[in-house]
Amino acid sequence: MTQQEGERTPLLSLQAITKRFGPLIANSDISLDLYSGEIIALLGENGAGKTTLMNILFGHYVADEGGIWVQSSEGTLEALEPGTPHAALASGIGMVHQHFTLAENLSALDNILLGTEPLLKPRWSRKAARTKLQALMAKSGLEVDLNQQVSKLAVGERQRVEILKALYRDARILVLDEPTAVLTPQESEGLFKTLELLAANGLGIIFISHKMAEVLSASDRVLVLRHGELVADLETSICDRNLLADLMVGHSVDVPTRDAATPGPATLMFRGVSAGTGREALSNVDFSLRSGEILGLAGVSGNGQGTLSKLLSGLEQPTSGAVELHGTPLSRNAAGVIKQGVARIPEDRHHDGIVGAMSVADNLVIEEIRSPAYSRFGMLRFGEIKKRAVEAIQAYDIRCPGPSARARLLSGGNIQKIVLARTLDQEPQVVLAAQPSRGLDVGATAEVHRRLIAARDRGAAVLVISEDLDELLRICDSIAVIHRGQISAPAPTETLDKQRLGLMMAGHPANKELAG
Amino acid sequence: MIRIEPRQNVSHLYAFFVPVLAAVAALGLAAIPLYAAGADISSAYVSMWKGAFGSAFAVSELLTRATPLILTGLAAAVAFKAKLWNIGAEGQLYVGALAAVAIGSGAINAPPAIMIPLVMLSGMLAGGLLMLVPTLMKTKLGADEVVTTLLLNFIILLFVQMMLEGPMKDPMGMGWPQSEPMSPEATLPKLFARMRVHWGLIIALGAALLLYIIMTRSVWGFEMRALGENVSAARHAGIPVTATYIKVGLISGAMAGLAGVSEVAGLKGYLTSDISPGFGYSGIVVAMLAGLSPIGVIVAAVFIAAVFVGADSMSRAMSVSNYIADLVVALSLLCVLISSVFVRYKIRFITPRLPKAAREKEI
């Protein structure tokens, strides 16, 4: 402890935390102090160790070295028992996970009480709870209909329930893991206003992010993690984008540039397509994709993007209308769609993109395993498969121990490169890329973008579905918005900006915004 | 404090030795019930060893017992590899045996070169088609195959009893519920004179080799493995999911059906409703011990057979109940399942250590 910090007792103090997973050092000697009324941003690329650090704080992992200290009610620091979320909760640490942990079939109020009140208490004192929550809502500006069933709440409202749950448990330290990942820009702004209010009321807040814009606008202090090490602990006021980017990556990254598109004829046509059910349903969608063009599809997740991806992947069929590729109907199964020349980069690359227990080589050829190039008389051609793998590993710079390494062991960026290599090297006519850079570091993201632009320049029609507006504005030639199963007419990227897209994502028609 | 953490990498050596150690541990734990039964433990193990490996006759008995276990082990291994949980090998074995006696007990007369393949094929077909039912119920209706295959076992066993009491009862059987005997042309020859071990063993070894090649070297095997490891990625990559499940189900059922054929055509000569002392279920233990590898199944089946045969002979010599064999088999399954936790996770004993700085701060 240095002297100037010793004057105020921090709310929370992490001391020399080190955590290893086998040979990987996820956190190396990380120390941080969080003071009352402060908002800290934990910035870092995917795999930098942000989430590991917060999981240690919350007791999901135990640090190999180091300890956590929390201010007690007497104002002195007390050691937090490692490895139990229970102790973390009891000492006033509240965590809002990236994927919410709410029971969908219960009301917001029940979700907040669940796990907070003893299970065997004869009757929950709902009235007292409600009064306490009303007071909290008034103080923090977190408005939620407590009686509403969670399944009926929008994503932003669910997040508010999560925060309220932490506050109800008298959290003094609030940790939010990638809180804006599922929000529209407007909702994100609202969230950060709330956080400011909470900090003003004396809470200490840590939020994890890899988006520099929100870190710069919403935090008091930035801690940058890189490869498990704390590389910077700076006042936000003295930071700028370039500084943070350099700190995050450790070197400068060439962002791929995009020349003006020369779109060809329409390749893929949606004609009055309806498909899917529930929130993800598409209703009567008409749009077309031109060759030599990257079309972006912006939208808050769960507005029909999933159904659209499944349609183009051959995993779901339209209930009415037709999807046509070069005038012929799109095949109704995945193998047929691949043969028709549609490359699909799935949103959840671990779940849908690779078979983790199989080798890198197997994953590189899995879509074409029945082609004569890789099998003959039903038997695998190991030599050809290996040759292809070695070639792809080199061409795409897939960092792995070798072609026979299990794909699961690779980082997210390298897994995405496997998917890119196997789909794009088939020279597809249509490329569907769903959240292609989600969770990837800056370098891998640039690589993904370069490959998509190259596919466009080769004449492919590229559809990029993304929630990351910066990404869309950077690589797309035109952008459409998907909202409640409807797709707006695409507009050239040059005519759009984040604010306008944000409003359209929230359901406001584009022209109304122009008039206002 | 004890914590369980997933292992990042599992070395092949470790993955190989753990089932071996599990088997040893299971044999070791068998000392407890042996002691409880009042037997002299060291001589019990000696007589168990002698019963399994002590003479040419013992080895022949061991291999005779291993034959159906290899086949039911293969049935489980192939299905489990694709995460199709076929618990119904017992029923598939019985329909295989039933089909064998239906064809081979005089309904058709032909030389052995035709009869034996025909009987094998009919048994495999019967077992495969029986497994096709739960497989289709899984792919079309989402019915859990653990439940459907397990329950089918009881239906089939009762059906076999009905057939043996009724239409297929041997009129010369002195009233016993048993089928007519297999014709000599449909009978699998013995491997050696005056030994019970028969050609079924060679067929089982051949099946293991064939399945090894299919699973590791063919497109089908590739697709089955992909399906078992990540069905949603497999579907996304264009692998025909339903067709692959059907192939797996047919092959798995066929292996169990072949076990039934081998028992009636190679060993017993006719079908009774107690022809299998639970080979279908023991096959699951065999497959798990083998780590679902078709070649490993041979080794594991020999081990389980040795336990059965050895414990049988030991129980006679030591006058303890021969249920001890079932107990050891059950213990080995439990040991394998528990040891698989050790393969996938490591147990760490943690003493919370505080860094020096933090300790000073406390004071």
Side-chain angles (χ1 to χ4, degrees):
Chain A
M1 279 265 87
T2 54
Q3 280 180 331
Q4 73 231 48
E5 279 170 323
E7 292 164 14
R8 271 175 75 200
T9 312
L11 266 182
L12 170 75
S13 177
L14 303 186
Q15 304 240 332
I17 298 277
T18 297
K19 174 75 187 170
R20 297 181 199 91
F21 293 108
L24 178 84
I25 301 177
N27 286 152
S28 163
D29 193 26
I30 294 178
S31 300
L32 79 85
D33 288 323
L34 172 72
Y35 293 91
S36 168
E38 188 180 38
I39 301 181
I40 290 185
L42 205 54
L43 181 71
E45 294 190 310
N46 205 261
K50 298 167 295 190
T51 304
T52 303
L53 188 64
M54 289 305 111
N55 277 330
I56 291 170
L57 171 61
F58 206 59
H60 292 315
Y61 294 148
V62 176
D64 295 322
E65 284 159 37
I68 300 168
W69 302 77
V70 184
Q71 196 186 79
S72 69
S73 45
E74 291 93 49
T76 55
L77 280 179
E78 282 183 2
L80 180 72
E81 190 190 338
T84 75
H86 216 76
L89 281 172
S91 63
I93 300 171
M95 183 134 177
V96 177
H97 292 273
Q98 190 175 353
H99 304 287
F100 303 144
T101 52
L102 298 173
E104 298 231 333
N105 54 345
L106 297 181
S107 71
L109 180 67
D110 286 341
N111 262 290
I112 291 167
L113 296 183
L114 197 69
T116 314
E117 304 290 336
L119 205 60
L120 293 177
K121 214 167 155 184
R123 230 180 109 251
W124 287 349
S125 48
R126 286 164 176 280
K127 206 172 161 193
R130 205 179 284 272
T131 322
K132 181 173 174 182
L133 279 166
Q134 298 292 1
L136 280 172
M137 288 202 282
K139 210 162 84 176
S140 63
L142 290 162
E143 280 302 326
V144 176
D145 179 0
L146 290 175
N147 297 321
Q148 186 66 264
Q149 194 172 315
V150 164
S151 62
K152 294 191 179 116
L153 295 177
V155 184
E157 291 174 303
R158 291 181 196 205
Q159 189 174 54
R160 274 176 256 162
V161 175
E162 285 273 12
I163 298 173
L164 272 177
K165 186 170 178 171
L167 296 179
Y168 181 78
R169 293 175 175 182
D170 300 317
R172 292 168 301 142
I173 299 153
L174 193 61
V175 180
L176 300 102
D177 189 0
E178 302 267 359
T180 59
V182 290
L183 303 181
T184 64
Q186 282 78 7
E187 281 175 315
S188 303
E189 237 168 76
L191 169 70
F192 286 119
K193 281 208 184 90
T194 308
L195 295 186
E196 263 171 46
L197 205 60
L198 291 174
N201 283 329
L203 260 72
I205 294 168
I206 301 178
F207 74 92
I208 297 177
S209 179
H210 64 262
K211 296 182 191 163
M212 279 173 284
E214 66 189 35
V215 167
L216 286 168
S217 69
S219 69
D220 301 317
R221 203 144 58 88
V222 192
L223 275 68
V224 183
L225 290 185
R226 187 171 75 222
H227 303 314
E229 287 179 45
L230 185 64
V231 292
D233 181 347
L234 300 165
E235 298 290 325
T236 307
S237 52
I238 62 166
C239 295
D240 65 23
R241 237 188 144 82
N242 292 335
L243 175 68
L244 289 182
D246 287 353
L247 285 170
M248 239 165 91
V249 189
H251 58 87
S252 51
V253 174
D254 295 334
V255 177
T257 50
R258 165 178 66 88
D259 305 325
T262 45
T267 305
L268 184 78
M269 304 277 286
F270 276 62
R271 293 182 200 275
V273 172
S274 299
T277 50
R279 290 177 66 217
E280 279 276 4
L282 290 179
S283 56
N284 204 15
V285 165
D286 283 289
F287 87 101
S288 62
L289 210 54
R290 293 181 295 178
S291 63
E293 181 189 50
I294 302 183
L295 175 66
L297 195 60
V300 178
S301 84
N303 272 289
Q305 294 98 320
T307 304
L308 186 67
S309 298
K310 280 189 189 156
L311 272 178
L312 281 181
S313 302
L315 300 175
E316 192 159 331
Q317 279 73 51
T319 47
S320 67
V323 185
E324 289 172 2
L325 184 61
H326 287 309
T328 52
L330 194 70
S331 170
R332 286 170 170 260
N333 62 63
V337 166
I338 295 167
K339 273 211 193 77
Q340 280 179 308
V342 181
R344 296 104 12 95
I345 299 165
E347 173 175 346
D348 189 337
R349 62 186 78 95
H350 292 272
H351 189 254
D352 298 323
I354 58 150
V355 181
M358 291 175 86
S359 69
V360 171
D362 286 349
N363 276 286
L364 279 165
V365 299
I366 189 168
E367 287 188 0
E368 298 173 278
I369 196 66
R370 279 173 177 265
S371 92
Y374 303 119
S375 61
R376 201 189 280 153
F377 312 120
M379 302 305 279
L380 302 173
R381 300 175 72 181
F382 288 107
E384 298 299 316
I385 292 172
K386 189 173 174 199
K387 207 169 95 191
R388 158 72 182 139
V390 170
E391 173 197 293
I393 286 170
Q394 194 156 38
Y396 283 78
D397 189 25
I398 300 168
R399 309 267 168 89
C400 62
S404 56
R406 290 185 171 205
R408 171 187 298 142
L409 300 175
L410 273 58
S411 72
N414 286 303
I415 286 174
Q416 190 72 320
K417 284 181 198 165
I418 293 179
V419 177
L420 288 174
R422 101 169 160 226
T423 53
L424 297 182
D425 278 1
Q426 298 181 51
E427 309 231 315
Q429 309 193 17
V430 175
V431 179
L432 160 73
Q435 316 291 352
S437 67
R438 176 182 281 175
L440 300 187
D441 60 39
V442 181
T445 302
E447 177 64 20
V448 169
H449 290 168
R450 224 185 326 271
R451 295 283 176 182
L452 291 177
I453 292 169
R456 179 203 75 170
D457 292 343
R458 220 198 54 240
V462 183
L463 177 66
V464 180
I465 299 176
S466 179
E467 285 158 37
D468 183 346
L469 297 183
D470 291 320
E471 168 173 59
L472 292 177
L473 290 167
R474 203 175 315 133
I475 65 166
C476 295
D477 302 308
S478 52
I479 300 178
V481 170
I482 185 164
H483 180 72
R484 296 204 177 150
Q486 302 277 347
I487 296 176
S488 73
T493 305
E494 290 71 31
T495 65
L496 295 166
D497 59 31
K498 258 175 118 164
Q499 269 61 39
R500 228 181 106 185
L501 282 173
L503 284 169
M504 286 163 74
M505 280 161 71
H508 299 275
N511 48 6
K512 193 168 149 194
E513 211 284 318
L514 275 181
Chain B
M1 190 169 45
I2 299 170
R3 284 186 68 87
I4 297 175
E5 293 179 359
R7 279 179 199 279
Q8 299 299 306
N9 281 309
V10 179
S11 80
H12 290 296
L13 200 67
Y14 201 76
F16 172 76
F17 271 109
V18 163
V20 173
L21 287 176
V24 172
L27 281 175
L29 286 171
I32 298 169
L34 278 174
Y35 177 78
D40 175 42
I41 291 177
S42 60
S43 55
Y45 279 117
V46 170
S47 81
M48 211 190 278
W49 174 265
K50 279 193 179 150
F53 300 102
S55 63
F57 175 76
V59 173
S60 158
E61 281 305 294
L62 166 73
L63 294 176
T64 308
R65 186 60 83 97
T67 301
L69 287 174
I70 293 174
L71 289 167
T72 54
L74 290 173
V78 168
F80 288 10
K81 195 80 189 169
K83 299 235 160 72
L84 180 71
W85 304 110
N86 177 11
I87 315 292
E90 187 77 3
Q92 292 141 23
L93 183 151
Y94 272 103
V95 292
L98 198 66
V101 292
I103 302 283
S105 62
I108 299 174
N109 282 309
I114 297 172
M115 270 320 279
I116 289 175
L118 192 66
V119 165
M120 281 169 58
L121 222 59
S122 58
M124 288 166 72
L125 200 65
L129 289 178
L130 180 63
M131 184 54 203
L132 192 61
V133 175
T135 308
L136 288 176
M137 282 169 77
K138 175 194 175 77
T139 55
K140 302 290 173 203
L141 307 170
D144 189 338
E145 74 276 16
V146 172
V147 177
T148 51
T149 54
L150 183 65
L151 293 182
L152 264 176
N153 286 343
F154 302 104
I155 297 173
I156 293 304
L157 195 59
L158 290 169
F159 175 72
V160 166
Q161 283 173 2
M162 185 194 87
M163 296 303 280
L164 292 181
E165 294 279 4
M168 290 180 74
K169 187 168 180 174
D170 183 3
M172 315 291 280
M174 324 249 282
W176 292 101
Q178 62 185 45
S179 76
E180 288 179 60
M182 298 289 282
S183 67
E185 289 79 15
T187 302
L188 296 173
K190 302 286 182 222
L191 283 175
F192 308 103
R194 287 185 303 281
M195 299 275 183
R196 291 213 300 166
V197 61
H198 53 88
W199 265 85
L201 178 68
I202 307 297
I203 293 168
L205 294 177
L209 190 66
L210 188 66
L211 279 183
Y212 171 75
I213 292 171
I214 290 178
M215 290 311 286
T216 56
R217 290 170 188 272
S218 76
V219 173
W220 283 15
F222 183 98
E223 293 178 339
M224 290 171 189
R225 280 181 287 138
L227 203 64
E229 297 294 351
N230 184 345
V231 70
S232 101
R235 182 178 288 124
H236 193 271
I239 285 174
V241 172
T242 304
T244 305
Y245 271 130
I246 287 173
K247 274 175 222 153
V248 172
L250 285 176
I251 292 176
S252 172
M255 287 299 117
L258 195 54
V261 174
S262 153
E263 285 301 279
V264 288
L267 188 62
K268 300 284 166 64
Y270 54 86
L271 176 61
T272 58
S273 64
D274 58 358
I275 195 168
S276 159
F279 287 134
Y281 300 107
S282 306
I284 296 169
V285 185
V286 169
M288 297 302 284
L289 258 177
L292 307 186
S293 141
I295 298 297
V297 159
I298 299 172
V299 181
V302 168
F303 170 75
I304 297 290
V307 170
F308 273 125
V309 173
D312 235 21
S313 126
M314 180 267 290
S315 70
R316 279 194 301 274
M318 313 289 296
S319 67
V320 297
S321 162
N322 63 356
Y323 281 121
I324 208 90
D326 289 322
L327 206 61
V328 176
V329 171
L331 280 171
S332 13
L333 179 59
L334 288 177
C335 287
V336 169
L337 293 178
I338 293 168
S339 68
S340 74
V341 174
F342 287 92
V343 176
R344 271 180 293 147
Y345 299 93
K346 61 180 169 193
I347 314 273
R348 299 206 318 161
F349 297 90
I350 297 168
T351 39
R353 273 172 303 155
L354 301 176
K356 210 170 149 216
R359 276 199 297 269
E360 282 165 0
K361 195 164 164 181
E362 197 176 24
I363 301 160

